[in-house]
Amino acid sequence: MVSPLDRKLLRDLARMKGQAVAIGAVIGTGVLMLVMMTGLVASLTETRDAYYDRYRLADVFAPVSRAPERLAGDLAAIPGVSAVQTRVTGRALVDIAGAALPAQAQAVSLPDRGRSALNDIYLTDGRLPEHGRPDEILLLEAFADAHGLGPGDVLAATMNGARRSFRIVGLAQSPEFLYTTPPGELYPDDARFGVIWMSRSALAAAYDMEGAFNEALLALSRTARKAAVIDAADRLLAAHGGTGAYARAEQISNRFISEEIAGLAVSARTVPPIFLAVAAFLLNIVVGRMVQAEREEIGLLKAFGYTDAEVGAHYFKLVLAIAAGGALAGCLGGVVLGRAMVEVYTAFFKFPFLVFRLDPAAFATGVLVSVAAASAGGLLVVRRVFALAPAEAMRPPAPPDYSRSARFRRLGRLLDQPSRMVLRRIVRQPIRMGGAALGIASGMALSVAMLAIYEGFDETVDLTFGVVDRSDVTVTFTHAVSDKTLFELGRMEGVARVEPVRHVAAILSHGLDSHRGAITGLPPDAALYRALDAGGGPIPLPERGLVLSRTLADVLGVEAGQALSVDVREGRQPVLDLPVAAITETLVGAPAYMALDALNRALREPGRVSGAHLTIDSARADAIFARLQDMPTVAGVSRKDDARAAIVRLMDSGAGATRYVMGAIAFVITFGVVYNAARIALAERTRDLAALRVMGFTRGEAAFVLLGELAVVTLVALPAGAAIGYALSFAIASGFSTELYQIPAGIDRASFGQAALVVLGAALVSGLLVKRDLDRTDLIGVLKTRE
Amino acid sequence: MRQAQPTGGTDRAPGPTAPPAYMACGVKKIYGEGRSAVHALRGVDLEIPTGEIVVLLGPSGSGKSTLLNILGGLDRATEGTVSFRDTCLSALDDAGLTLYRRRHVGFVFQFYNLMPSLTATENVELVTEIARDPMAPEDALALVGLSARADHFPAQLSGGEQQRVAIARAVAKRPEVLLCDEPTGALDSATGRAVLSVLRDVNAELGTTVLMVTHAASTAGMADRVLHFADGHIRDVVINDTRLDPAEIEW
């Protein structure tokens, strides 16, 4: 038989269902976020690994200028190498109907017969090219989709200087090209960079690679020592123009994916705990006040001879039902939402399938934190009630002593009675009112912090493309060319200004830490593309030495004044020792800057540039693009608008996209908190309000006493919420910052205003809801019972 | 339906030869400290024989409810000793007092204090659940004449009915003492008489010692013994030779 206490419990829950749901929702959303984010990270990691595994992504990539095929056997003989696949790759320009700029592409060979031993492809449409049909190609699905191309279509491309026509026979995806980034750019763009697969013999013919390869892929056995294999491969390929083998971790697509997942993982580690902590804090406050309202019933149960443990257990069950109910609903919601998010990300990362994983630890953490916070809140109050003799507990608390507020008498005279009631209650019970205000403030802080993060994303984009990069067009050359080429660009009609830039691919290392990236050389008087710090101030480039971004310096564990080993991965491939002259905060990427002259001096290649930033007359853009395309040294041309769109797309669909979900959750919590505060105020004051009604006050006048209190508490909470939100935004911003971009924290007036509006709106709606409840309450009936 | 089996730690032995239900000596109760201290009881000595109906009479603030709470183990005396049978209540800790209330005492309050979320039967079960030898809840409700309303919630009952449920709840565990604080205070005269009749029946049928706090002097007629309170003292004790039937009480 269900005991009468348990029946009381069920009916109490049914009675307070509105409040119970509001409390449960606050903690539930906190848990939801935790479960969703951890599930997302676990699923994406698992899916990525499964994809790599099934399509045999190589462990080591070894590019080379031109190596004879017989070296494949030597590579396979390196201890630890379990499989070798050689191939031919090359750069191509693809004509796109209706576009002034050709798209860039990478051509990759497929074995003439059979599947590729490593870096297999996933055919999504059509068939593989047939042996002996050199004009048949596969196209990367994302690129084909971006241009409306499909099997049966014809594609014109320039390979190795020769323009040829191809027939698309199929579309494919590959774990190697999840992310495709045009050369010289940071962010991926499906439309402007494609991959063409064709038979090895056809591609070898196009690039003069018959009997040879220019890239070797290696798979390693489980026990292999990666560094030793890379060294051995480098030694084998050095004589044939090897530019340095690198591990999968350095592979560009994998690096982006991993960086994105790492970004999500950091967000998942840092942001949900903040939300959960705030939700737990609120739960603690709310449950405490709820149990406080049950004081008379607690006293009565004790009068009957129920022990403290029995009464405690009863209320613990009540609190447990609400907290665990909320937490479980949060888990469920987290699974559903997490699953939906994983699908969105699967599409974004172009995984051909999805492995959905949940992190059981997240469930346990969520439920435990909820139950612990609620129990702490409930038991604290229950203990306080236990400390009273039951005779005292059964009486409502003695009327609070308002005599201290008499010193506000002069001020009070200016107010009517209801206003005085509001004022005195606040003055008399500063701790309770402070708790309510703090609760609302922490709810608001989440909204403030999330709005600050939105602002931070915009700031990063604006600073990068409005202040750092003021050019219209960026030109990338096929290799470092003489700076005289710039004059050629400057002479073009419609080109207003040309500035040189030199990107040098290099592995920067300091002790055991290394980073595969590039050094950017800029002229001292740069105006189109400038090295700027996070505050927007120019970074002076010294006569010698590097200026590192803080992100990169942290990766390398290096400080200003120390020296870096720079392993240049192009040209003569010198290894340089360069001092770090300064470290600066930046917002995008992890750049290493150097004065152009100093860089060229260090490389002993005076007067060389690898690209240029241009401002142009937009009316002549098409003619300029046509001219650029005809220049043999130009590898790529990108418009700033395209690049800007690419980063915005990345931020809105990658790890950054979760900020919208988190923002929504922040708003739900904010609203839940304000509503709870209003409900509890109602519960605490029902008797006072009833008395007012009995004395002839109208519903509106009685409601004023309640809502006036809520209004004052809310107003007090606004500045506190802004301050806490400001502090939180730093923690959350670091959670969203990755090596790809950094998100500045801090808050502007607009974010604060918006968050304040959210809170005021929530207060208004809560006030109306509570007023509705108040109007429905049989106030006279309240007075008839007890007391 | 008189029950004579022992139900508690102390033997139930009503009658003139039985030991007194309560003995109190020099009981003082002071609320607060210093200048704001309130002396609710200023030194009370009493002896309450088992099986009597005792009325505690006096104006508001005279200390009668305070004494009732102390006798019921709901509160503690600041000074003096209080014993129930051979148990010294003053020496019990919180757990001891809880056990004492659970085994021996039934309470009836002015405002019924029913759990609004439980039906009449369930309110009674709340107590029978933790009692050692309770009546069936239906029997307790039959005793107060409410069998027909057993499944009603407090909100569906009149004030008098609610108070009868409260009495049923209090007696269902067969307590040795039933402590009532202004049980008719919120009721009209007819309903009040009916409630007093129920208390009288409980005393007669179960042999329960009944202590009743009231400020209505007329109620004194139904008591065996009347304690008059004033200013935290017992001013005098009146022993009635004959008890009035509650129906005859002038309201």
Side-chain angles (χ1 to χ4, degrees), chain A residues 313-344:
Chain A
H314 174 61
Y315 282 94
F316 179 70
K317 276 193 236 171
L318 179 73
V319 165
L320 193 72
I322 296 174
L328 290 178
C331 288
L332 204 68
V335 172
V336 172
L337 204 59
R339 166 118 209 159
M341 295 267 294
V342 169
E343 292 198 14
V344 169

PDB file of all heavy atoms in Angstrom, chain A residues 313-344:
ATOM      1  N   ALA A 313      13.133  12.621   5.029  1.00  0.00           N
ATOM      2  CA  ALA A 313      13.043  11.736   3.869  1.00  0.00           C
ATOM      3  C   ALA A 313      11.866  12.133   2.990  1.00  0.00           C
ATOM      4  O   ALA A 313      11.958  12.114   1.757  1.00  0.00           O
ATOM      5  CB  ALA A 313      12.888  10.290   4.326  1.00  0.00           C
ATOM      6  N   HIS A 314      10.765  12.515   3.633  1.00  0.00           N
ATOM      7  CA  HIS A 314       9.583  12.919   2.862  1.00  0.00           C
ATOM      8  C   HIS A 314       9.895  14.112   1.960  1.00  0.00           C
ATOM      9  O   HIS A 314       9.612  14.095   0.768  1.00  0.00           O
ATOM     10  CB  HIS A 314       8.454  13.263   3.836  1.00  0.00           C
ATOM     11  CG  HIS A 314       7.232  13.825   3.180  1.00  0.00           C
ATOM     12  ND1 HIS A 314       6.499  13.116   2.248  1.00  0.00           N
ATOM     13  CD2 HIS A 314       6.627  15.024   3.286  1.00  0.00           C
ATOM     14  CE1 HIS A 314       5.481  13.851   1.841  1.00  0.00           C
ATOM     15  NE2 HIS A 314       5.552  15.020   2.446  1.00  0.00           N
ATOM     16  N   TYR A 315      10.524  15.140   2.549  1.00  0.00           N
ATOM     17  CA  TYR A 315      10.827  16.323   1.735  1.00  0.00           C
ATOM     18  C   TYR A 315      11.952  16.055   0.754  1.00  0.00           C
ATOM     19  O   TYR A 315      11.998  16.616  -0.330  1.00  0.00           O
ATOM     20  CB  TYR A 315      11.100  17.534   2.642  1.00  0.00           C
ATOM     21  CG  TYR A 315       9.794  18.072   3.148  1.00  0.00           C
ATOM     22  CD1 TYR A 315       9.290  17.671   4.367  1.00  0.00           C
ATOM     23  CD2 TYR A 315       9.014  18.882   2.346  1.00  0.00           C
ATOM     24  CE1 TYR A 315       8.044  18.096   4.800  1.00  0.00           C
ATOM     25  CE2 TYR A 315       7.773  19.315   2.768  1.00  0.00           C
ATOM     26  CZ  TYR A 315       7.294  18.915   3.984  1.00  0.00           C
ATOM     27  OH  TYR A 315       6.069  19.330   4.387  1.00  0.00           O
ATOM     28  N   PHE A 316      12.846  15.159   1.183  1.00  0.00           N
ATOM     29  CA  PHE A 316      13.920  14.790   0.245  1.00  0.00           C
ATOM     30  C   PHE A 316      13.306  14.157  -1.003  1.00  0.00           C
ATOM     31  O   PHE A 316      13.713  14.435  -2.121  1.00  0.00           O
ATOM     32  CB  PHE A 316      14.884  13.815   0.921  1.00  0.00           C
ATOM     33  CG  PHE A 316      16.000  13.369   0.029  1.00  0.00           C
ATOM     34  CD1 PHE A 316      17.004  14.257  -0.339  1.00  0.00           C
ATOM     35  CD2 PHE A 316      16.041  12.084  -0.469  1.00  0.00           C
ATOM     36  CE1 PHE A 316      18.020  13.858  -1.176  1.00  0.00           C
ATOM     37  CE2 PHE A 316      17.059  11.680  -1.309  1.00  0.00           C
ATOM     38  CZ  PHE A 316      18.051  12.569  -1.658  1.00  0.00           C
ATOM     39  N   LYS A 317      12.276  13.311  -0.768  1.00  0.00           N
ATOM     40  CA  LYS A 317      11.628  12.679  -1.919  1.00  0.00           C
ATOM     41  C   LYS A 317      10.963  13.718  -2.814  1.00  0.00           C
ATOM     42  O   LYS A 317      11.002  13.614  -4.041  1.00  0.00           O
ATOM     43  CB  LYS A 317      10.559  11.686  -1.436  1.00  0.00           C
ATOM     44  CG  LYS A 317      11.128  10.329  -1.081  1.00  0.00           C
ATOM     45  CD  LYS A 317       9.988   9.321  -0.932  1.00  0.00           C
ATOM     46  CE  LYS A 317      10.027   8.673   0.422  1.00  0.00           C
ATOM     47  NZ  LYS A 317       8.849   7.856   0.714  1.00  0.00           N
ATOM     48  N   LEU A 318      10.357  14.719  -2.178  1.00  0.00           N
ATOM     49  CA  LEU A 318       9.697  15.771  -2.958  1.00  0.00           C
ATOM     50  C   LEU A 318      10.717  16.493  -3.833  1.00  0.00           C
ATOM     51  O   LEU A 318      10.537  16.672  -5.044  1.00  0.00           O
ATOM     52  CB  LEU A 318       9.016  16.760  -2.002  1.00  0.00           C
ATOM     53  CG  LEU A 318       8.308  17.943  -2.662  1.00  0.00           C
ATOM     54  CD1 LEU A 318       7.028  17.484  -3.333  1.00  0.00           C
ATOM     55  CD2 LEU A 318       7.973  19.022  -1.637  1.00  0.00           C
ATOM     56  N   VAL A 319      11.817  16.887  -3.161  1.00  0.00           N
ATOM     57  CA  VAL A 319      12.871  17.607  -3.866  1.00  0.00           C
ATOM     58  C   VAL A 319      13.493  16.717  -4.941  1.00  0.00           C
ATOM     59  O   VAL A 319      13.767  17.141  -6.068  1.00  0.00           O
ATOM     60  CB  VAL A 319      13.938  18.050  -2.832  1.00  0.00           C
ATOM     61  CG1 VAL A 319      15.197  18.470  -3.514  1.00  0.00           C
ATOM     62  CG2 VAL A 319      13.396  19.171  -1.973  1.00  0.00           C
ATOM     63  N   LEU A 320      13.655  15.436  -4.550  1.00  0.00           N
ATOM     64  CA  LEU A 320      14.255  14.481  -5.480  1.00  0.00           C
ATOM     65  C   LEU A 320      13.371  14.322  -6.722  1.00  0.00           C
ATOM     66  O   LEU A 320      13.853  14.274  -7.838  1.00  0.00           O
ATOM     67  CB  LEU A 320      14.401  13.133  -4.771  1.00  0.00           C
ATOM     68  CG  LEU A 320      15.279  12.111  -5.468  1.00  0.00           C
ATOM     69  CD1 LEU A 320      16.722  12.540  -5.335  1.00  0.00           C
ATOM     70  CD2 LEU A 320      15.083  10.739  -4.854  1.00  0.00           C
ATOM     71  N   ALA A 321      12.065  14.245  -6.480  1.00  0.00           N
ATOM     72  CA  ALA A 321      11.140  14.065  -7.602  1.00  0.00           C
ATOM     73  C   ALA A 321      11.287  15.226  -8.579  1.00  0.00           C
ATOM     74  O   ALA A 321      11.335  15.025  -9.797  1.00  0.00           O
ATOM     75  CB  ALA A 321       9.719  13.970  -7.095  1.00  0.00           C
ATOM     76  N   ILE A 322      11.379  16.444  -8.034  1.00  0.00           N
ATOM     77  CA  ILE A 322      11.467  17.612  -8.908  1.00  0.00           C
ATOM     78  C   ILE A 322      12.833  17.680  -9.584  1.00  0.00           C
ATOM     79  O   ILE A 322      12.938  17.826 -10.809  1.00  0.00           O
ATOM     80  CB  ILE A 322      11.205  18.907  -8.101  1.00  0.00           C
ATOM     81  CG1 ILE A 322       9.772  18.889  -7.569  1.00  0.00           C
ATOM     82  CG2 ILE A 322      11.451  20.128  -8.963  1.00  0.00           C
ATOM     83  CD1 ILE A 322       9.440  20.039  -6.649  1.00  0.00           C
ATOM     84  N   ALA A 323      13.887  17.544  -8.771  1.00  0.00           N
ATOM     85  CA  ALA A 323      15.236  17.693  -9.312  1.00  0.00           C
ATOM     86  C   ALA A 323      15.574  16.549 -10.271  1.00  0.00           C
ATOM     87  O   ALA A 323      16.047  16.767 -11.388  1.00  0.00           O
ATOM     88  CB  ALA A 323      16.254  17.747  -8.184  1.00  0.00           C
ATOM     89  N   ALA A 324      15.294  15.310  -9.810  1.00  0.00           N
ATOM     90  CA  ALA A 324      15.640  14.178 -10.662  1.00  0.00           C
ATOM     91  C   ALA A 324      14.733  14.166 -11.885  1.00  0.00           C
ATOM     92  O   ALA A 324      15.175  13.854 -12.997  1.00  0.00           O
ATOM     93  CB  ALA A 324      15.506  12.870  -9.877  1.00  0.00           C
ATOM     94  N   GLY A 325      13.461  14.546 -11.673  1.00  0.00           N
ATOM     95  CA  GLY A 325      12.548  14.627 -12.826  1.00  0.00           C
ATOM     96  C   GLY A 325      13.088  15.611 -13.846  1.00  0.00           C
ATOM     97  O   GLY A 325      13.149  15.321 -15.049  1.00  0.00           O
ATOM     98  N   GLY A 326      13.488  16.796 -13.348  1.00  0.00           N
ATOM     99  CA  GLY A 326      14.041  17.805 -14.262  1.00  0.00           C
ATOM    100  C   GLY A 326      15.302  17.301 -14.933  1.00  0.00           C
ATOM    101  O   GLY A 326      15.483  17.447 -16.146  1.00  0.00           O
ATOM    102  N   ALA A 327      16.167  16.671 -14.134  1.00  0.00           N
ATOM    103  CA  ALA A 327      17.437  16.195 -14.678  1.00  0.00           C
ATOM    104  C   ALA A 327      17.202  15.105 -15.726  1.00  0.00           C
ATOM    105  O   ALA A 327      17.848  15.107 -16.790  1.00  0.00           O
ATOM    106  CB  ALA A 327      18.319  15.660 -13.558  1.00  0.00           C
ATOM    107  N   LEU A 328      16.274  14.209 -15.438  1.00  0.00           N
ATOM    108  CA  LEU A 328      16.012  13.130 -16.402  1.00  0.00           C
ATOM    109  C   LEU A 328      15.408  13.694 -17.681  1.00  0.00           C
ATOM    110  O   LEU A 328      15.781  13.297 -18.796  1.00  0.00           O
ATOM    111  CB  LEU A 328      15.087  12.078 -15.785  1.00  0.00           C
ATOM    112  CG  LEU A 328      15.754  11.253 -14.682  1.00  0.00           C
ATOM    113  CD1 LEU A 328      14.771  10.269 -14.074  1.00  0.00           C
ATOM    114  CD2 LEU A 328      16.978  10.515 -15.214  1.00  0.00           C
ATOM    115  N   ALA A 329      14.472  14.639 -17.514  1.00  0.00           N
ATOM    116  CA  ALA A 329      13.907  15.291 -18.702  1.00  0.00           C
ATOM    117  C   ALA A 329      15.035  15.972 -19.474  1.00  0.00           C
ATOM    118  O   ALA A 329      15.062  15.954 -20.711  1.00  0.00           O
ATOM    119  CB  ALA A 329      12.831  16.289 -18.298  1.00  0.00           C
ATOM    120  N   GLY A 330      15.973  16.590 -18.720  1.00  0.00           N
ATOM    121  CA  GLY A 330      17.123  17.239 -19.353  1.00  0.00           C
ATOM    122  C   GLY A 330      17.965  16.233 -20.120  1.00  0.00           C
ATOM    123  O   GLY A 330      18.403  16.500 -21.242  1.00  0.00           O
ATOM    124  N   CYS A 331      18.184  15.061 -19.524  1.00  0.00           N
ATOM    125  CA  CYS A 331      18.960  14.012 -20.196  1.00  0.00           C
ATOM    126  C   CYS A 331      18.277  13.624 -21.503  1.00  0.00           C
ATOM    127  O   CYS A 331      18.903  13.547 -22.563  1.00  0.00           O
ATOM    128  CB  CYS A 331      19.075  12.769 -19.301  1.00  0.00           C
ATOM    129  SG  CYS A 331      20.185  12.989 -17.896  1.00  0.00           S
ATOM    130  N   LEU A 332      16.968  13.393 -21.381  1.00  0.00           N
ATOM    131  CA  LEU A 332      16.203  12.979 -22.552  1.00  0.00           C
ATOM    132  C   LEU A 332      16.273  14.059 -23.637  1.00  0.00           C
ATOM    133  O   LEU A 332      16.571  13.779 -24.805  1.00  0.00           O
ATOM    134  CB  LEU A 332      14.754  12.744 -22.132  1.00  0.00           C
ATOM    135  CG  LEU A 332      13.956  11.808 -23.007  1.00  0.00           C
ATOM    136  CD1 LEU A 332      14.510  10.394 -22.869  1.00  0.00           C
ATOM    137  CD2 LEU A 332      12.481  11.844 -22.584  1.00  0.00           C
ATOM    138  N   GLY A 333      16.029  15.299 -23.210  1.00  0.00           N
ATOM    139  CA  GLY A 333      16.093  16.413 -24.157  1.00  0.00           C
ATOM    140  C   GLY A 333      17.482  16.523 -24.756  1.00  0.00           C
ATOM    141  O   GLY A 333      17.641  16.794 -25.951  1.00  0.00           O
ATOM    142  N   GLY A 334      18.499  16.302 -23.899  1.00  0.00           N
ATOM    143  CA  GLY A 334      19.882  16.387 -24.371  1.00  0.00           C
ATOM    144  C   GLY A 334      20.171  15.340 -25.429  1.00  0.00           C
ATOM    145  O   GLY A 334      20.858  15.615 -26.418  1.00  0.00           O
ATOM    146  N   VAL A 335      19.613  14.143 -25.230  1.00  0.00           N
ATOM    147  CA  VAL A 335      19.817  13.076 -26.216  1.00  0.00           C
ATOM    148  C   VAL A 335      19.145  13.448 -27.535  1.00  0.00           C
ATOM    149  O   VAL A 335      19.746  13.362 -28.613  1.00  0.00           O
ATOM    150  CB  VAL A 335      19.260  11.731 -25.683  1.00  0.00           C
ATOM    151  CG1 VAL A 335      19.288  10.682 -26.777  1.00  0.00           C
ATOM    152  CG2 VAL A 335      20.063  11.273 -24.487  1.00  0.00           C
ATOM    153  N   VAL A 336      17.888  13.913 -27.427  1.00  0.00           N
ATOM    154  CA  VAL A 336      17.140  14.258 -28.646  1.00  0.00           C
ATOM    155  C   VAL A 336      17.826  15.410 -29.377  1.00  0.00           C
ATOM    156  O   VAL A 336      18.112  15.334 -30.585  1.00  0.00           O
ATOM    157  CB  VAL A 336      15.687  14.636 -28.277  1.00  0.00           C
ATOM    158  CG1 VAL A 336      14.969  15.185 -29.495  1.00  0.00           C
ATOM    159  CG2 VAL A 336      14.964  13.417 -27.711  1.00  0.00           C
ATOM    160  N   LEU A 337      18.125  16.466 -28.623  1.00  0.00           N
ATOM    161  CA  LEU A 337      18.732  17.640 -29.240  1.00  0.00           C
ATOM    162  C   LEU A 337      20.150  17.323 -29.717  1.00  0.00           C
ATOM    163  O   LEU A 337      20.574  17.752 -30.788  1.00  0.00           O
ATOM    164  CB  LEU A 337      18.748  18.791 -28.229  1.00  0.00           C
ATOM    165  CG  LEU A 337      18.797  20.185 -28.821  1.00  0.00           C
ATOM    166  CD1 LEU A 337      17.608  20.425 -29.732  1.00  0.00           C
ATOM    167  CD2 LEU A 337      18.794  21.228 -27.719  1.00  0.00           C
ATOM    168  N   GLY A 338      20.872  16.560 -28.904  1.00  0.00           N
ATOM    169  CA  GLY A 338      22.229  16.171 -29.271  1.00  0.00           C
ATOM    170  C   GLY A 338      22.225  15.392 -30.575  1.00  0.00           C
ATOM    171  O   GLY A 338      23.028  15.619 -31.466  1.00  0.00           O
ATOM    172  N   ARG A 339      21.270  14.488 -30.677  1.00  0.00           N
ATOM    173  CA  ARG A 339      21.152  13.660 -31.883  1.00  0.00           C
ATOM    174  C   ARG A 339      20.881  14.568 -33.095  1.00  0.00           C
ATOM    175  O   ARG A 339      21.495  14.413 -34.148  1.00  0.00           O
ATOM    176  CB  ARG A 339      20.027  12.656 -31.644  1.00  0.00           C
ATOM    177  CG  ARG A 339      19.549  11.958 -32.852  1.00  0.00           C
ATOM    178  CD  ARG A 339      19.752  10.451 -32.792  1.00  0.00           C
ATOM    179  NE  ARG A 339      19.916  10.039 -34.169  1.00  0.00           N
ATOM    180  CZ  ARG A 339      20.482   8.944 -34.571  1.00  0.00           C
ATOM    181  NH1 ARG A 339      20.986   8.129 -33.701  1.00  0.00           N
ATOM    182  NH2 ARG A 339      20.590   8.664 -35.837  1.00  0.00           N
ATOM    183  N   ALA A 340      19.977  15.528 -32.915  1.00  0.00           N
ATOM    184  CA  ALA A 340      19.671  16.447 -34.010  1.00  0.00           C
ATOM    185  C   ALA A 340      20.913  17.255 -34.392  1.00  0.00           C
ATOM    186  O   ALA A 340      21.229  17.433 -35.571  1.00  0.00           O
ATOM    187  CB  ALA A 340      18.524  17.372 -33.608  1.00  0.00           C
ATOM    188  N   MET A 341      21.641  17.711 -33.362  1.00  0.00           N
ATOM    189  CA  MET A 341      22.847  18.508 -33.629  1.00  0.00           C
ATOM    190  C   MET A 341      23.900  17.659 -34.341  1.00  0.00           C
ATOM    191  O   MET A 341      24.595  18.132 -35.236  1.00  0.00           O
ATOM    192  CB  MET A 341      23.435  19.032 -32.322  1.00  0.00           C
ATOM    193  CG  MET A 341      22.569  20.001 -31.592  1.00  0.00           C
ATOM    194  SD  MET A 341      22.901  21.723 -31.979  1.00  0.00           S
ATOM    195  CE  MET A 341      24.530  21.960 -31.351  1.00  0.00           C
ATOM    196  N   VAL A 342      24.020  16.404 -33.903  1.00  0.00           N
ATOM    197  CA  VAL A 342      25.008  15.532 -34.536  1.00  0.00           C
ATOM    198  C   VAL A 342      24.695  15.394 -36.021  1.00  0.00           C
ATOM    199  O   VAL A 342      25.590  15.404 -36.863  1.00  0.00           O
ATOM    200  CB  VAL A 342      25.043  14.146 -33.849  1.00  0.00           C
ATOM    201  CG1 VAL A 342      25.865  13.174 -34.666  1.00  0.00           C
ATOM    202  CG2 VAL A 342      25.638  14.263 -32.461  1.00  0.00           C
ATOM    203  N   GLU A 343      23.411  15.312 -36.341  1.00  0.00           N
ATOM    204  CA  GLU A 343      23.066  15.188 -37.759  1.00  0.00           C
ATOM    205  C   GLU A 343      23.431  16.442 -38.531  1.00  0.00           C
ATOM    206  O   GLU A 343      23.919  16.371 -39.652  1.00  0.00           O
ATOM    207  CB  GLU A 343      21.581  14.858 -37.899  1.00  0.00           C
ATOM    208  CG  GLU A 343      21.320  13.453 -37.377  1.00  0.00           C
ATOM    209  CD  GLU A 343      19.998  12.877 -37.854  1.00  0.00           C
ATOM    210  OE1 GLU A 343      19.413  13.448 -38.777  1.00  0.00           O
ATOM    211  OE2 GLU A 343      19.593  11.856 -37.290  1.00  0.00           O
ATOM    212  N   VAL A 344      23.182  17.583 -37.893  1.00  0.00           N
ATOM    213  CA  VAL A 344      23.564  18.837 -38.546  1.00  0.00           C
ATOM    214  C   VAL A 344      25.077  18.854 -38.793  1.00  0.00           C
ATOM    215  O   VAL A 344      25.549  19.187 -39.880  1.00  0.00           O
ATOM    216  CB  VAL A 344      23.153  20.045 -37.672  1.00  0.00           C
ATOM    217  CG1 VAL A 344      23.770  21.321 -38.208  1.00  0.00           C
ATOM    218  CG2 VAL A 344      21.636  20.148 -37.597  1.00  0.00           C
TER     219      VAL A 344
END
